[in-house]
Amino acid sequence: MNRVYNFSAGPAVLPEEVLREAAEEMMDYRGSGMSVMEMSHRSKLFETIIGDAEADLRDLLKIPDNYKVLFLQGGASQQFAMVPMNLFKNRVGDYIITGQWAKKAHQEAKLYGTANAVASSADKTFSYIPDVSDLPISDDADYVYICENNTIYGTKFKELPNTKGKTLVADLSSCFLSEPVDVSKYGLIFAGAQKNVGPAGVVIAIIREDLITEDVLPGTPTMLRYKTHADEKSLYNTPPAYGIYICGKVFKWLKKRGGLEGMKEFNEKKAAILYDYLDQSRMFTGTVVKKDRSLMNVPFVTGDEELDALFVKESKAAGLENLKGHRSVGGMRASIYNAMPIEGVEKLVSFMKDFEAKHGK
């Protein structure tokens, strides 16, 4: 078996230990004679799988008792509509636009009411996080919305916005479980699983109970109501069962590695290897303001499109996969999620040094 170092932004690298365990259990899960893919979501076996996954997630994030954990489908992008459908009472949402996904969420919310852009970093290609200490929050805003880590542009909120008492809603897809989070500061957190915790097809929502009501926008489909899923413990319909099973294994893997405090220390150490090299390189340049750099997604460029293309081609041949940057930024992007080992980042930096020596002026 020849595993590559996979720097994809998502679907992304998963822990090898988890993949091996899943492979061992593929045909026969714990003596059941069937795969998790085949079993009923109403069975005692699966109830244990989803129950353990929720318990471990609650333990990792220290989720308060007055928050529900929901395992949903439709990805983070479906939440762009589900949030206003469920939380709009005054039909007003304030959005902080720091990248493509916040922009898309903002546009989606406009379908259901007023969506105000109260801050944006679009003026500098989303290369920084705007000052969020004193925003013009609307008096009648139902919530303030952020995308906390920007997968495409490589920025991260280091301080949460001052919402002036309004509910904070956050898309944590690309930094979920990479560091400790004070859940009580948010009304709603959601995250697509395919970047840091599991395969594509699962989105995890953590929502304060007072936000789960029957009072949703007229016409909101049954399947797009948080209450539908909260009342049925994520089992209203057939959930993404196998994805939840893998997420559960990742949660146990995280706990074994020291929980989220341990992961933050590991991720900071790993990211520093790459950022330290970028800061002294004469060829490669990071594209993000230093204080706003993400630990998960690291975009960088040479300033020469042909050289960038050559780098992507040669790095692939060296077993470093999916380093091509997003089309809106260009260059390269290394996504170094929880499951990326330090050895992968070290190999990338070693390759970058060799490439610079070979092609530098």
mmCIF file of all heavy atoms in Angstrom, residues 214-243:
data_model
loop_
_atom_site.group_PDB
_atom_site.id
_atom_site.type_symbol
_atom_site.label_atom_id
_atom_site.label_comp_id
_atom_site.label_asym_id
_atom_site.label_seq_id
_atom_site.Cartn_x
_atom_site.Cartn_y
_atom_site.Cartn_z
ATOM 1 N N GLU A 214 -41.209 25.731 17.007
ATOM 2 C CA GLU A 214 -42.149 25.542 15.898
ATOM 3 C C GLU A 214 -42.289 26.816 15.077
ATOM 4 O O GLU A 214 -42.823 26.801 13.974
ATOM 5 C CB GLU A 214 -43.540 25.158 16.439
ATOM 6 C CG GLU A 214 -43.595 23.838 17.172
ATOM 7 C CD GLU A 214 -43.710 22.648 16.235
ATOM 8 O OE1 GLU A 214 -43.529 22.816 15.011
ATOM 9 O OE2 GLU A 214 -43.962 21.535 16.743
ATOM 10 N N ASP A 215 -41.805 27.929 15.638
ATOM 11 C CA ASP A 215 -41.961 29.235 15.002
ATOM 12 C C ASP A 215 -40.897 29.429 13.929
ATOM 13 O O ASP A 215 -39.884 30.085 14.134
ATOM 14 C CB ASP A 215 -41.856 30.328 16.067
ATOM 15 C CG ASP A 215 -42.041 31.725 15.489
ATOM 16 O OD1 ASP A 215 -42.614 31.842 14.388
ATOM 17 O OD2 ASP A 215 -41.592 32.698 16.130
ATOM 18 N N VAL A 216 -41.149 28.806 12.780
ATOM 19 C CA VAL A 216 -40.221 28.922 11.644
ATOM 20 C C VAL A 216 -40.923 29.665 10.510
ATOM 21 O O VAL A 216 -42.121 29.937 10.573
ATOM 22 C CB VAL A 216 -39.758 27.525 11.169
ATOM 23 C CG1 VAL A 216 -38.984 26.820 12.275
ATOM 24 C CG2 VAL A 216 -40.944 26.670 10.725
ATOM 25 N N LEU A 217 -40.173 30.004 9.479
ATOM 26 C CA LEU A 217 -40.783 30.725 8.369
ATOM 27 C C LEU A 217 -41.858 29.875 7.700
ATOM 28 O O LEU A 217 -41.691 28.659 7.548
ATOM 29 C CB LEU A 217 -39.723 31.109 7.336
ATOM 30 C CG LEU A 217 -38.682 32.152 7.749
ATOM 31 C CD1 LEU A 217 -37.831 32.537 6.543
ATOM 32 C CD2 LEU A 217 -39.327 33.402 8.348
ATOM 33 N N PRO A 218 -42.950 30.491 7.288
ATOM 34 C CA PRO A 218 -43.986 29.748 6.569
ATOM 35 C C PRO A 218 -43.397 29.041 5.347
ATOM 36 O O PRO A 218 -42.579 29.618 4.631
ATOM 37 C CB PRO A 218 -44.972 30.841 6.136
ATOM 38 C CG PRO A 218 -44.762 31.954 7.105
ATOM 39 C CD PRO A 218 -43.302 31.916 7.453
ATOM 40 N N GLY A 219 -43.803 27.796 5.171
ATOM 41 C CA GLY A 219 -43.311 27.042 4.019
ATOM 42 C C GLY A 219 -42.027 26.285 4.253
ATOM 43 O O GLY A 219 -41.542 25.586 3.365
ATOM 44 N N THR A 220 -41.456 26.399 5.462
ATOM 45 C CA THR A 220 -40.228 25.656 5.759
ATOM 46 C C THR A 220 -40.524 24.158 5.730
ATOM 47 O O THR A 220 -41.387 23.674 6.469
ATOM 48 C CB THR A 220 -39.670 26.041 7.149
ATOM 49 O OG1 THR A 220 -39.339 27.430 7.146
ATOM 50 C CG2 THR A 220 -38.428 25.227 7.480
ATOM 51 N N PRO A 221 -39.847 23.400 4.883
ATOM 52 C CA PRO A 221 -40.114 21.957 4.801
ATOM 53 C C PRO A 221 -39.848 21.249 6.129
ATOM 54 O O PRO A 221 -38.993 21.677 6.917
ATOM 55 C CB PRO A 221 -39.121 21.477 3.727
ATOM 56 C CG PRO A 221 -38.792 22.694 2.931
ATOM 57 C CD PRO A 221 -38.834 23.835 3.896
ATOM 58 N N THR A 222 -40.562 20.190 6.354
ATOM 59 C CA THR A 222 -40.409 19.403 7.583
ATOM 60 C C THR A 222 -38.948 19.012 7.809
ATOM 61 O O THR A 222 -38.429 19.096 8.927
ATOM 62 C CB THR A 222 -41.279 18.133 7.506
ATOM 63 O OG1 THR A 222 -42.642 18.532 7.320
ATOM 64 C CG2 THR A 222 -41.153 17.293 8.764
ATOM 65 N N MET A 223 -38.282 18.589 6.733
ATOM 66 C CA MET A 223 -36.898 18.120 6.849
ATOM 67 C C MET A 223 -35.903 19.242 7.130
ATOM 68 O O MET A 223 -34.753 18.986 7.488
ATOM 69 C CB MET A 223 -36.493 17.385 5.564
ATOM 70 C CG MET A 223 -36.979 15.951 5.500
ATOM 71 S SD MET A 223 -36.263 14.902 6.776
ATOM 72 C CE MET A 223 -34.558 14.861 6.238
ATOM 73 N N LEU A 224 -36.325 20.496 6.953
ATOM 74 C CA LEU A 224 -35.418 21.625 7.182
ATOM 75 C C LEU A 224 -35.731 22.356 8.480
ATOM 76 O O LEU A 224 -35.322 23.498 8.682
ATOM 77 C CB LEU A 224 -35.461 22.583 5.997
ATOM 78 C CG LEU A 224 -34.970 22.017 4.668
ATOM 79 C CD1 LEU A 224 -34.912 23.096 3.592
ATOM 80 C CD2 LEU A 224 -33.598 21.364 4.810
ATOM 81 N N ARG A 225 -36.425 21.694 9.373
ATOM 82 C CA ARG A 225 -36.721 22.254 10.689
ATOM 83 C C ARG A 225 -35.822 21.578 11.724
ATOM 84 O O ARG A 225 -35.797 20.352 11.823
ATOM 85 C CB ARG A 225 -38.194 22.025 11.057
ATOM 86 C CG ARG A 225 -39.166 22.683 10.084
ATOM 87 C CD ARG A 225 -40.604 22.331 10.428
ATOM 88 N NE ARG A 225 -41.507 22.893 9.428
ATOM 89 C CZ ARG A 225 -42.661 23.482 9.694
ATOM 90 N NH1 ARG A 225 -43.076 23.554 10.946
ATOM 91 N NH2 ARG A 225 -43.409 23.966 8.728
ATOM 92 N N TYR A 226 -35.119 22.378 12.499
ATOM 93 C CA TYR A 226 -34.263 21.795 13.534
ATOM 94 C C TYR A 226 -35.088 20.957 14.511
ATOM 95 O O TYR A 226 -34.635 19.925 14.997
ATOM 96 C CB TYR A 226 -33.505 22.891 14.290
ATOM 97 C CG TYR A 226 -32.451 23.579 13.464
ATOM 98 C CD1 TYR A 226 -32.487 24.946 13.237
ATOM 99 C CD2 TYR A 226 -31.403 22.856 12.894
ATOM 100 C CE1 TYR A 226 -31.522 25.582 12.480
ATOM 101 C CE2 TYR A 226 -30.423 23.477 12.132
ATOM 102 C CZ TYR A 226 -30.489 24.846 11.923
ATOM 103 O OH TYR A 226 -29.529 25.479 11.155
ATOM 104 N N LYS A 227 -36.317 21.404 14.802
ATOM 105 C CA LYS A 227 -37.147 20.694 15.774
ATOM 106 C C LYS A 227 -37.465 19.274 15.308
ATOM 107 O O LYS A 227 -37.522 18.343 16.124
ATOM 108 C CB LYS A 227 -38.435 21.475 16.036
ATOM 109 C CG LYS A 227 -39.183 21.004 17.283
ATOM 110 C CD LYS A 227 -40.320 21.934 17.647
ATOM 111 C CE LYS A 227 -40.884 21.615 19.024
ATOM 112 N NZ LYS A 227 -41.260 20.212 19.216
ATOM 113 N N THR A 228 -37.658 19.111 14.017
ATOM 114 C CA THR A 228 -37.928 17.765 13.471
ATOM 115 C C THR A 228 -36.840 16.790 13.893
ATOM 116 O O THR A 228 -37.118 15.670 14.333
ATOM 117 C CB THR A 228 -37.989 17.832 11.933
ATOM 118 O OG1 THR A 228 -39.059 18.686 11.538
ATOM 119 C CG2 THR A 228 -38.177 16.451 11.326
ATOM 120 N N HIS A 229 -35.593 17.215 13.767
ATOM 121 C CA HIS A 229 -34.454 16.326 14.033
ATOM 122 C C HIS A 229 -34.126 16.251 15.525
ATOM 123 O O HIS A 229 -33.734 15.193 16.018
ATOM 124 C CB HIS A 229 -33.251 16.798 13.219
ATOM 125 C CG HIS A 229 -33.531 16.825 11.749
ATOM 126 N ND1 HIS A 229 -33.593 15.687 10.985
ATOM 127 C CD2 HIS A 229 -33.827 17.860 10.916
ATOM 128 C CE1 HIS A 229 -33.890 16.003 9.735
ATOM 129 N NE2 HIS A 229 -34.048 17.314 9.674
ATOM 130 N N ALA A 230 -34.328 17.369 16.235
ATOM 131 C CA ALA A 230 -34.063 17.359 17.672
ATOM 132 C C ALA A 230 -35.051 16.452 18.400
ATOM 133 O O ALA A 230 -34.662 15.680 19.287
ATOM 134 C CB ALA A 230 -34.146 18.783 18.222
ATOM 135 N N ASP A 231 -36.320 16.514 18.008
ATOM 136 C CA ASP A 231 -37.339 15.689 18.665
ATOM 137 C C ASP A 231 -37.097 14.197 18.466
ATOM 138 O O ASP A 231 -37.444 13.376 19.322
ATOM 139 C CB ASP A 231 -38.731 16.043 18.129
ATOM 140 C CG ASP A 231 -39.244 17.378 18.638
ATOM 141 O OD1 ASP A 231 -38.591 17.962 19.533
ATOM 142 O OD2 ASP A 231 -40.287 17.846 18.133
ATOM 143 N N GLU A 232 -36.496 13.848 17.327
ATOM 144 C CA GLU A 232 -36.292 12.428 16.992
ATOM 145 C C GLU A 232 -34.840 11.974 17.163
ATOM 146 O O GLU A 232 -34.452 10.914 16.675
ATOM 147 C CB GLU A 232 -36.745 12.168 15.547
ATOM 148 C CG GLU A 232 -38.219 12.455 15.296
ATOM 149 C CD GLU A 232 -39.140 11.561 16.106
ATOM 150 O OE1 GLU A 232 -38.759 10.413 16.389
ATOM 151 O OE2 GLU A 232 -40.241 12.028 16.459
ATOM 152 N N LYS A 233 -34.029 12.801 17.842
ATOM 153 C CA LYS A 233 -32.624 12.456 18.122
ATOM 154 C C LYS A 233 -31.859 12.080 16.849
ATOM 155 O O LYS A 233 -31.143 11.078 16.799
ATOM 156 C CB LYS A 233 -32.541 11.333 19.152
ATOM 157 C CG LYS A 233 -33.159 11.715 20.487
ATOM 158 C CD LYS A 233 -33.039 10.609 21.513
ATOM 159 C CE LYS A 233 -33.637 11.035 22.848
ATOM 160 N NZ LYS A 233 -33.567 9.967 23.859
ATOM 161 N N SER A 234 -32.056 12.894 15.816
ATOM 162 C CA SER A 234 -31.384 12.732 14.510
ATOM 163 C C SER A 234 -31.818 11.483 13.755
ATOM 164 O O SER A 234 -31.149 11.063 12.807
ATOM 165 C CB SER A 234 -29.854 12.732 14.657
ATOM 166 O OG SER A 234 -29.403 13.930 15.256
ATOM 167 N N LEU A 235 -32.931 10.882 14.169
ATOM 168 C CA LEU A 235 -33.397 9.645 13.537
ATOM 169 C C LEU A 235 -34.805 9.793 12.958
ATOM 170 O O LEU A 235 -35.557 8.824 12.858
ATOM 171 C CB LEU A 235 -33.365 8.487 14.545
ATOM 172 C CG LEU A 235 -31.968 8.080 15.035
ATOM 173 C CD1 LEU A 235 -32.080 7.116 16.206
ATOM 174 C CD2 LEU A 235 -31.152 7.479 13.910
ATOM 175 N N TYR A 236 -35.172 11.016 12.551
ATOM 176 C CA TYR A 236 -36.483 11.230 11.939
ATOM 177 C C TYR A 236 -36.609 10.400 10.665
ATOM 178 O O TYR A 236 -37.624 9.770 10.411
ATOM 179 C CB TYR A 236 -36.684 12.708 11.633
ATOM 180 C CG TYR A 236 -37.951 13.002 10.855
ATOM 181 C CD1 TYR A 236 -39.190 13.004 11.494
ATOM 182 C CD2 TYR A 236 -37.909 13.262 9.487
ATOM 183 C CE1 TYR A 236 -40.362 13.255 10.795
ATOM 184 C CE2 TYR A 236 -39.073 13.515 8.778
ATOM 185 C CZ TYR A 236 -40.298 13.511 9.430
ATOM 186 O OH TYR A 236 -41.445 13.758 8.725
ATOM 187 N N ASN A 237 -35.545 10.448 9.858
ATOM 188 C CA ASN A 237 -35.475 9.589 8.673
ATOM 189 C C ASN A 237 -34.137 8.856 8.718
ATOM 190 O O ASN A 237 -33.398 8.967 9.696
ATOM 191 C CB ASN A 237 -35.615 10.410 7.386
ATOM 192 C CG ASN A 237 -34.400 11.294 7.141
ATOM 193 O OD1 ASN A 237 -33.805 11.818 8.090
ATOM 194 N ND2 ASN A 237 -34.014 11.474 5.892
ATOM 195 N N THR A 238 -33.831 8.097 7.680
ATOM 196 C CA THR A 238 -32.556 7.373 7.673
ATOM 197 C C THR A 238 -31.404 8.374 7.637
ATOM 198 O O THR A 238 -31.271 9.140 6.684
ATOM 199 C CB THR A 238 -32.454 6.441 6.452
ATOM 200 O OG1 THR A 238 -33.614 5.610 6.399
ATOM 201 C CG2 THR A 238 -31.207 5.579 6.548
ATOM 202 N N PRO A 239 -30.576 8.406 8.674
ATOM 203 C CA PRO A 239 -29.465 9.362 8.700
ATOM 204 C C PRO A 239 -28.284 8.835 7.880
ATOM 205 O O PRO A 239 -28.305 7.680 7.423
ATOM 206 C CB PRO A 239 -29.115 9.410 10.183
ATOM 207 C CG PRO A 239 -29.399 8.022 10.660
ATOM 208 C CD PRO A 239 -30.603 7.554 9.864
ATOM 209 N N PRO A 240 -27.248 9.659 7.685
ATOM 210 C CA PRO A 240 -26.036 9.185 7.008
ATOM 211 C C PRO A 240 -25.259 8.259 7.947
ATOM 212 O O PRO A 240 -24.253 8.640 8.552
ATOM 213 C CB PRO A 240 -25.271 10.472 6.692
ATOM 214 C CG PRO A 240 -25.737 11.452 7.720
ATOM 215 C CD PRO A 240 -27.160 11.087 8.034
ATOM 216 N N ALA A 241 -25.769 7.041 8.078
ATOM 217 C CA ALA A 241 -25.359 6.135 9.156
ATOM 218 C C ALA A 241 -23.860 5.821 9.137
ATOM 219 O O ALA A 241 -23.188 5.872 10.173
ATOM 220 C CB ALA A 241 -26.175 4.844 9.082
ATOM 221 N N TYR A 242 -23.332 5.483 7.961
ATOM 222 C CA TYR A 242 -21.919 5.097 7.925
ATOM 223 C C TYR A 242 -21.014 6.294 8.231
ATOM 224 O O TYR A 242 -19.992 6.165 8.902
ATOM 225 C CB TYR A 242 -21.558 4.489 6.569
ATOM 226 C CG TYR A 242 -20.247 3.733 6.607
ATOM 227 C CD1 TYR A 242 -20.186 2.457 7.162
ATOM 228 C CD2 TYR A 242 -19.067 4.303 6.131
ATOM 229 C CE1 TYR A 242 -18.978 1.763 7.227
ATOM 230 C CE2 TYR A 242 -17.863 3.610 6.187
ATOM 231 C CZ TYR A 242 -17.827 2.351 6.738
ATOM 232 O OH TYR A 242 -16.638 1.677 6.810
ATOM 233 N N GLY A 243 -21.406 7.461 7.745
ATOM 234 C CA GLY A 243 -20.634 8.669 8.036
ATOM 235 C C GLY A 243 -20.609 8.976 9.522
ATOM 236 O O GLY A 243 -19.573 9.356 10.078
#
